């Protein structure tokens, strides 16, 4: 899980997105994203699937 979150954080930063903007793009609450990014919580179950899908859809070469 740690690697998945680290990849998402790198992607957010490389896109220049704020935490709020990235959370919106993923379809999660901004507070949820902040909890994940700051290591206080980890996505599990459907949230993990949502994060994986978001990484694929928002990855390099994808529209801003």
């Amino acid at each position: 899980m740690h690697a998945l979150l680290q990849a998402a954080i790198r992607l957010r930063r490389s896109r220049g997105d704020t935490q709020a903007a990235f959370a919106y793009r993923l379809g999660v609450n901004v507070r949820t994203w902040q909890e994940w990014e700051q290591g206080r919580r980890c996505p599990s179950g459907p949230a993990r699937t949502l994060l994986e899908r978001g990484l694929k859809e928002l990855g390099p070469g994808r529209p801003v």
Side-chain angles (χ1 to χ4, degrees):
M1 179 54 63
H2 183 70
L4 180 63
L5 279 173
Q6 290 302 314
I9 292 167
R10 282 192 305 273
L11 177 61
R12 179 185 75 79
R13 291 177 178 160
S14 73
R15 292 175 58 93
D17 283 348
T18 63
Q19 288 180 335
F22 196 71
Y24 176 80
R25 292 177 197 281
L26 287 176
V28 300
N29 181 283
V30 66
R31 188 68 182 141
T32 299
W33 172 256
Q34 290 169 340
E35 294 284 321
W36 292 349
E37 186 168 321
Q38 294 168 8
R40 289 191 294 262
R41 302 191 86 154
C42 287
S44 61
R48 180 184 169 103
T49 301
L50 183 67
L51 185 56
E52 290 171 342
R53 189 184 79 209
L55 284 174
K56 289 177 187 172
E57 292 177 1
L58 298 173
R62 302 296 181 170
V64 176

